Amino acid sequence: MPDYRDDLRLAHVLADAADAATMDRFKALDLKVETKPDMTPVSEADKAAEELIRGHLQRARPRDAILGEEYGIEGTGPRRWVIDPIDGTKNYVRGVPVWATLISLMEAAEGGYQPVVGVVSAPALGRRWWAAKGHGAFTGRSLSSATRLKVSQVSRMADASFAYSSLSGWEDQGRLDGFLDLTKAVWRTRGYGDFWPYMMVAEGSVDICAEPELSLWDMAANAIVVTEAGGSFTGLDGRPGPHSGNAAASNGILHDELLGYLNQRY
């Protein structure tokens, strides 16, 4: 099995640099925010963090390709770094601390590129999570000060905690009825949103989560953290990995039932 520990160490260095840049501008009164063609916001901090990460990667891994939310794809080859400089920009620009930098390394494999390293760093929460293929998933302050992650063993929907982002996307896709049926079937629902539900699934504090519309950079790092913690991460179509344009994550035990609800009237 390949050893991805050097790549994981590099991803932590990248996250450290991004954390410093994003925290420096968090809650800044003069933060510049624009609206992209898809009507989502982008701040100067998003752009600066991605430029910083790209610069580090071009020096440290010049042969690897880079795909980022703000500046697209650069390079080719079997290894590709996937970056979301600020996942949760709407939170960031309003001063809500639930946002993170997502960094993943993906490698060419059967069925397309698959994540082999992932770091999710949420400096305003003082939290970081990470994983490397075959080496497990962890949370902590550093590689040397970490706790291994493990998903929950909840086996009944009636006992499950379900996290989601919003209602509008489910309605747009015609999946709202199944979504609402799921909310009635579970023990608890909370709309944490963005990266955080996936990290809580990996920690075992939430049992299932799902989002109806996502990009690859929203999912790649989350996917490997969840799966290395023993959980399942698929599209709503059941396809493993971060390639379906949407996501469902669970402790594995409840996964088929989760997909059943979200697809039952679709």
Side-chain angles (χ1 to χ4, degrees):
M1 178 180 293
D3 188 339
Y4 296 105
R5 282 177 287 194
D6 284 346
D7 293 310
L8 181 59
R9 280 191 285 269
L10 173 59
H12 275 272
V13 171
L14 300 175
D16 289 342
D19 285 357
T22 52
M23 284 301 290
D24 183 59
R25 299 299 291 155
F26 185 48
K27 296 188 178 180
L29 296 177
D30 61 344
L31 182 72
K32 296 181 177 65
V33 183
E34 305 167 11
T35 301
K36 293 192 284 190
D38 64 359
M39 301 308 293
T40 60
V42 58
S43 74
E44 63 182 81
D46 291 80
K47 294 179 178 180
E50 185 167 324
E51 288 169 353
L52 191 64
I53 294 170
R54 284 176 178 269
H56 276 280
L57 284 171
Q58 285 158 357
R59 293 187 294 273
R61 296 289 190 274
R63 296 182 180 180
D64 293 352
I66 306 170
L67 171 65
E69 179 176 11
E70 307 307 334
Y71 295 106
I73 184 75
E74 179 180 358
T76 59
R79 288 165 47 99
R80 177 182 296 172
W81 294 85
V82 180
I83 305 155
D84 189 343
I86 299 178
D87 181 52
T89 298
K90 291 177 182 177
N91 283 346
Y92 184 88
V93 302
R94 289 297 302 272
V96 178
V98 183
W99 50 272
T101 295
L102 311 184
I103 300 167
S104 179
L105 172 62
M106 303 186 74
E107 285 193 343
E110 188 175 344
Y113 285 84
Q114 297 299 329
V116 294
V117 167
V119 172
V120 177
S121 191
L125 294 175
R127 297 295 311 276
R128 184 177 291 184
W129 304 261
W130 62 89
K133 186 177 180 180
H135 293 284
F138 297 84
T139 185
R141 292 289 182 180
S142 67
L143 284 165
S144 59
S145 177
T147 302
R148 187 154 189 162
L149 299 174
K150 185 66 180 173
V151 297
S152 77
Q153 294 300 302
V154 171
S155 59
R156 298 173 64 244
M157 272 299 178
D159 298 325
S161 181
F162 170 45
Y164 62 95
S165 278
S166 66
L167 294 177
S168 58
W170 300 104
E171 187 171 24
D172 292 344
Q173 289 196 4
R175 299 180 188 264
L176 184 60
D177 287 341
F179 173 88
L180 292 175
D181 285 348
L182 175 60
T183 67
K184 296 169 187 174
V186 298
W187 167 63
R188 192 169 190 252
T189 61
R190 284 293 183 271
Y192 301 105
D194 301 306
F195 70 94
W196 207 8
Y198 303 99
M199 298 304 98
M200 287 191 281
V201 167
E203 291 181 336
S205 53
V206 163
D207 309 300
I208 56 174
C209 68
E211 288 185 272
E213 188 173 2
L214 294 166
S215 298
L216 180 61
W217 47 76
D218 297 313
M219 296 183 281
N222 294 333
I224 188 163
V225 173
V226 169
T227 55
E228 283 292 320
S232 296
F233 189 107
T234 72
L236 298 177
D237 57 5
R239 179 184 176 190
H243 295 288
S244 299
N246 45 47
S250 76
N251 63 4
I253 302 168
L254 296 170
H255 205 77
D256 288 345
E257 199 172 351
L258 168 63
L259 294 178
Y261 273 102
L262 296 176
N263 289 308
Q264 67 179 359
R265 304 188 192 180
Y266 180 57

